[in-house]
Amino acid sequence: MQQPEVAGFHDARTGSIQYVVACPKTRRCAIIDPVLDFDEKSGSTATTNADRLLEHIASHDLTLEWILDTHPHADHFSAASYLKARTGAPTAIGEHVVQVQRIWKDIYNWPDLACDGSQWDRLFSDGDTFRIGDLEAHVMHSPGHTLASISYIVGDAAFIHDTLFMPDSGSARADFPGGSADSLWASIERILTLPDQTRLFTGHDYMPGGREALWESTVAEQRRDNPHVAGRSRAEFVEIRQARDRTLPMPKLILHALQVNIRGGALPEPETDGRRYLKIPLDALPGSVWGR
Ligand SMILES: [Fe+2]
């Protein structure tokens, strides 16, 4: 079993984990789920997180081959577009992103949005393979949190994004437009058929109880300890997930982030004054719990 080098970078602001996965032999690597910093209070953007990934790549003598996203995120902007401009490396996401584009095209009333995935260099299908140096990477469609979510399996490492969090933190929510608790269960079941010692790298960690940020577990640990899966049936999981989701307000950046992330992390084009603007639809997500 191939053993890639994996470095995780936790962004405390959004609880996201960004990864650099590298081939130990060829020093070629991929970035997974990079964050473009955004402060919703001032409207400021920054590239601190993404530059940290580039510094890691430079200081470890790595060559970037891929800029990957697991899904269109609702809590942060993807830095894929910025990193592509900086490095020339190709970007990729799951092919079902085109359906997510269609959902949000309506929500933003955005007739000009191309809903063909042309904003990425490659759209992956379930079962696709690609290389990171000598490592063979496999794509597993793993919907539920979003209908387009995919996991990347590289040797003994699986990047499972917002399916399972750490074993003390349950699973990801499944109530965004296009989400499904039932699909999430099926995706989790599939991930947990990987070998017991597979290293699972999650997409978020919110440091419950004030513990340090953690992002790596194994299939065996998840099966044994995660309260959303250990000893659970599909029906129990769906009930737990849907009950919890009914209590959750929308992520504070969902309306900011999707308009960026369905374009591969490209910020809106500048207007005539040279400034970029976001567009926030009102009353577009009916039934949402109000945030505090
Ligand atoms: Fe997410």
Side-chain angles (χ1 to χ4, degrees):
M1 180 76 80
Q2 293 179 311
Q3 292 193 312
E5 291 175 10
V6 178
F9 299 83
H10 183 254
D11 171 37
R13 193 177 174 80
T14 62
S16 307
I17 299 116
Q18 317 154 82
Y19 294 100
V20 176
V21 51
C23 171
K25 198 162 121 205
T26 62
R27 309 307 296 158
R28 297 196 162 257
C29 72
I31 287 174
I32 301 177
D33 287 338
V35 171
L36 186 78
D37 309 285
F38 174 63
D39 175 45
E40 74 282 6
K41 294 190 172 132
S42 64
S44 306
T45 65
T47 58
T48 311
N49 267 297
D51 290 337
R52 203 166 139 219
L53 303 177
L54 293 176
E55 278 158 30
H56 172 87
I57 287 170
S59 65
H60 289 73
D61 203 22
L62 298 171
T63 304
L64 183 62
E65 272 199 312
W66 285 102
I67 303 160
L68 307 173
D69 268 295
T70 54
H71 64 289
H73 307 278
D75 66 296
H76 66 266
F77 295 175
S78 167
S81 177
Y82 166 74
L83 287 166
K84 181 178 175 173
R86 282 288 308 273
T87 66
T91 59
I93 198 164
E95 62 176 346
H96 296 289
V97 76
V98 299
Q99 289 161 260
V100 179
Q101 287 180 314
R102 280 185 221 123
I103 290 172
W104 287 92
K105 175 182 180 145
D106 286 345
I107 292 174
Y108 291 120
N109 185 28
W110 202 351
D112 294 341
L113 178 71
C115 292
D116 56 3
S118 55
Q119 298 86 349
W120 291 267
D121 295 304
R122 183 154 172 196
L123 298 182
F124 287 126
S125 306
D126 184 57
D128 273 355
T129 61
F130 63 101
R131 299 194 82 79
I132 304 167
D134 283 351
L135 300 171
E136 188 169 61
H138 297 254
V139 174
M140 183 194 284
H141 184 217
S142 42
H145 173 66
T146 77
L147 57 77
S149 298
I150 55 174
S151 297
Y152 296 103
I153 298 151
V154 190
D156 74 337
F159 298 88
I160 61 168
H161 62 90
D162 302 355
T163 54
L164 291 171
F165 295 142
M166 288 302 287
D168 63 358
S169 302
S171 59
R173 64 193 297 176
D175 61 328
F176 298 158
S180 155
D182 207 53
S183 302
L184 182 58
W185 173 260
S187 296
I188 289 170
E189 283 275 274
R190 206 168 160 207
I191 287 165
L192 294 180
T193 62
L194 293 168
D196 273 1
Q197 290 316 307
T198 305
R199 294 183 285 163
L200 300 181
F201 294 95
T202 189
H204 284 287
D205 188 68
Y206 301 108
M207 304 187 281
R211 68 150 167 72
E212 62 179 333
L214 297 170
W215 47 82
E216 179 178 343
S217 62
T218 63
V219 167
E221 288 165 359
Q222 292 284 4
R223 279 196 175 285
R224 190 187 63 217
D225 297 334
N226 192 312
H228 286 193
V229 292
R232 296 283 180 205
S233 66
R234 171 189 286 252
E236 284 171 336
F237 172 82
V238 169
E239 196 180 316
I240 292 168
R241 189 64 267 161
Q242 289 179 339
R244 170 105 178 106
D245 288 348
R246 278 193 290 273
T247 70
L248 297 174
M250 282 291 139
K252 67 182 174 191
L253 297 186
I254 186 169
L255 297 173
H256 306 69
L258 261 301
Q259 62 195 287
V260 171
N261 293 339
I262 54 172
R263 296 178 66 233
L267 295 172
E269 294 304 317
E271 297 194 2
T272 51
D273 59 356
R275 187 166 288 148
R276 301 172 197 273
Y277 293 81
L278 295 172
K279 180 177 179 182
I280 302 294
L282 303 185
D283 300 317
L285 301 174
S288 298
V289 175
W290 282 52
R292 295 160 65 114

